[in-house]
Amino acid sequence: MNIGLFGQYVANGLMLGVIYAMVAVGFTLFFGVLDVIKFSHGDVLTVGAFAGLATYIGLTALGFTSPWAQLFVVILVATAAMAVLGALIARYLVLPLRTSPPLNTLLLTLMLGSALRECVRLFYPQGANPKPFPRLLPQDSLALGSFSLRLDNALLLLGGLAAIAGVHLLISRTRLGLAIRAVAQDGETARIMGIDFERVVLLTFALGSALAALAGVMNGLYYNEINFSIGLLLGVIGFSAAVVGGLGNIYGAILGGFLFAALQTIGAVALPAAFPQLPSAYKDVFAFAAVIAFMAWRPTGLIAERSAERV
Amino acid sequence: MNLVAIAAITAYAVFLLRAESQAAVLGLIVLAVAGVPVLGKTGFLHKLNESFEKHKKTTLIGVLVALSVLVALFYDQHFVMLMLASVLLYTVACLGLTVQFGYAGVVNFAGAAFLGVGGYASAVLGPHLPHLLVLAIGGLLAALVGSVLILPILRTRGHYAALITVAFGLLFRTFVEVNDALGGPQGMQVKGMNLFGWDLNTGLGEASFYANYVAVGFALAAAAFWLVRRLERSWIGLSLDAVRLDETACAVFGIDVARWKIFAFTFGNFFAGVAGAAYAMMTGFVAPNSFTFGDSLILVSIVLLGGLGNLWGVALGAAIVLVLPEKLQALQEYRFLLYAVLVIAILLVRPAGLIPRRARRYFA
């Protein structure tokens, strides 16, 4: 394999990794504060992407055509709308179920996910068909030998990394971040220290959902197409990445996201090279089998929660 | 009292299946949605549940009569018979899941994959072996495939274990989709069931041939029901309950946690495999699209809706989950949305399911 092709695969893998990591960070944030898995996360991403698309269409109809201004407004509207949606979901669907078994929350959010998916399919005009997503980023490419780096991909990659770094700074450096970490560590004690538990939970859900919306818009910009079911697989992959990294740990989620992307890329590239009779369609089989094997080896993920259980 | 209840439920089912206009269907659904919480609040459901337990013989006969009434009324309608047989077969699979979720507390989000193992087994082996044997092999194969997951499941807990089964479900579906030997995305044809020379795909007289499968489904469901009930009552059930409630305490009292988790997982997958094999023979084909993550979720929602660990609840849940979307056909596009919203509503209003399982009682 030549260097150019190799570079292409690496760039592609990194791009997938950033998107997966952004979704996984959401899962891990929610798990941190409430110990729940919110499975509708992937579909929130879909709704975010569609909100972005609708905003774009609206802006074009109004006569704004500067791509940078459009991009800014699209991202702003998508993230803000999903932040509100995430907080609403937390307030009216997740928090009321705190006392019931965790399985119920899982099922409820799964059902919510299919409800959101159906809503997009039914109520977005022709929502059942794939939609072209506008190319808002410059399309130039830089030739580096036999490897050509597309400028929009590089920008997306940088944007994604910046978003993750931003969330990380927010969690580790601000007062809100401190409150989120406190609630994650011990909700009761956090309350005693005067932290408004419910508000922190809602803000965390808003933050994670906004990140998902951004990931959705990025996904659209990358593939130039979105459809109503992208969230299902992205959600499962994000969840896998969060679990492989170790639930509740942001670094773990980021690591898990890139690891999963690497597995998929290896599955797509190395498998057919090693076993010519296997088509590259087996890449997902390979990635998920690797996840299962990995969980058998490290049952609590790469960066384990420290848990001493008192009995 | 339970005979009256069974009669009422049967009458309700008849009306629902007969109802043609959407207004009638919606009216009946609203009646149930409004009625069940009221019955639950007044403690009627608990009493009914107990009465079912107490008078087993009458209940069995009652259910048999009710089923015969349904068959007698709709024997010539393919669709209704198909629904009825599906409900019975799904009950079998979900009884298996109940042993996993409800008793041992082993989560399994790959129920559809194990149905699929059974289905593909019947597609491949159907032409070569006697079909009763194929059913058994379908179950054994599902249990065998499931044993791959035993090690990771034993080592993980909670959401981590859930992920393993989710990943397995996706893996299975992708695998059969890209595997050309198993028909790829098109799936495979499955021969209809043939038991001792009796071809189930020819109906008796005017009756729909699905009526035959209703009979087979009932036999399987009754056998599974009896077996799981026996299991629940026995020392094994007691051990499984203990494993679910407190692993540490269990280990202290000398109950081998790993052994019972393996047992429950394998046992449940066996049921799913048998049901999958029978279901594939009934519908005549298997395809990867019938075994998606969504289908696994349907199985899980059946188990949770009825009331985790309650066997009558499983049958009720299967009936609701399978029949309701079909009866909402005229709302066509909107039925999945409506269905998802309904499940969310039930989880918010009755988090323990429609008929919650009661704690084991020492003095019965």
Side-chain angles (χ1 to χ4, degrees), chain B residues 305-319:
Chain B
L305 274 189
L308 195 53
N310 186 309
L311 303 190
W312 291 109
V314 170
L316 183 65

Side-chain angles (χ1 to χ4, degrees), chain B residues 59-351:
Chain B
T59 310
L60 183 70
I61 294 170
V63 171
L64 204 56
V65 170
L67 211 58
S68 324
V69 169
L70 283 181
V71 172
L73 281 175
F74 298 105
Y75 69 96
D76 52 351
Q77 293 181 21
H78 281 314
F79 188 67
V80 176
M81 287 294 107
L82 174 65
M83 286 313 327
L84 208 55
S86 306
V87 167
L88 288 165
L89 289 175
Y90 266 75
T91 305
V92 175
C94 289
L95 284 172
L97 287 190
T98 298
V99 174
Q100 301 177 337
F101 277 96
Y103 296 167
V106 180
V107 290
N108 181 358
F109 284 96
F114 293 109
L115 275 181
V117 172
Y120 274 94
S122 71
V124 174
L125 300 173
H128 309 298
L129 294 172
H131 284 170
L132 216 50
L133 195 62
V134 170
L135 287 186
I137 292 178
L140 288 175
L141 218 55
L144 196 70
V145 170
S147 65
V148 175
L149 294 182
I150 285 177
L151 180 69
I153 283 186
L154 285 182
R155 284 180 54 95
T156 49
R157 286 173 155 199
H159 293 108
Y160 296 90
L163 168 70
I164 287 174
T165 54
V166 169
F168 178 74
L170 291 168
L171 186 155
F172 175 80
R173 182 177 176 256
T174 328
F175 178 77
V176 291
E177 192 160 35
V178 295
N179 191 318
D180 291 327
L182 292 175
Q186 309 298 325
M188 295 173 86
Q189 296 269 339
V190 186
K191 274 173 69 88
M193 203 188 286
N194 189 322
L195 293 176
F196 312 112
W198 172 40
D199 184 6
L200 269 76
N201 276 21
T202 41
L204 299 166
E206 281 180 15
S208 155
F209 69 89
Y210 286 121
N212 300 332
Y213 286 99
V214 172
V216 172
F218 181 74
L220 285 176
F225 201 97
W226 178 79
L227 203 61
V228 175
R229 175 62 83 212
R230 289 271 124 191
L231 192 79
E232 185 195 356
R233 291 285 173 79
S234 71
W235 60 279
I236 299 178
L238 204 55
S239 303
L240 291 178
D241 275 339
V243 167
R244 183 187 75 243
L245 292 171
D246 193 336
E247 286 187 22
T248 317
C250 254
V252 169
F253 279 94
I255 295 173
D256 189 341
V257 174
R259 183 211 286 176
W260 292 121
K261 280 190 170 179
I262 295 174
F263 169 79
F265 192 64
T266 315
F267 189 86
N269 292 341
F270 176 79
F271 276 30
V274 171
Y279 192 77
M281 287 183 190
M282 177 172 78
T283 51
F285 75 100
V286 281
N289 275 343
S290 338
F291 308 114
T292 59
F293 185 49
D295 296 284
S296 294
L297 285 188
I298 288 182
L299 294 174
V300 176
S301 42
I302 290 175
V303 173
L304 282 189
L305 274 189
L308 195 53
N310 186 309
L311 303 190
W312 291 109
V314 170
L316 183 65
I320 293 175
V321 168
L322 293 176
V323 176
L324 210 55
E326 297 304 334
K327 286 315 283 187
L328 295 173
Q329 204 80 307
L331 297 164
Q332 293 214 356
E333 293 286 340
Y334 298 93
R335 65 201 159 110
F336 288 116
L337 180 60
L338 209 67
Y339 163 68
V341 170
L342 194 72
V343 173
I344 293 177
I346 294 179
L347 283 172
L348 285 176
V349 179
R350 274 185 87 81

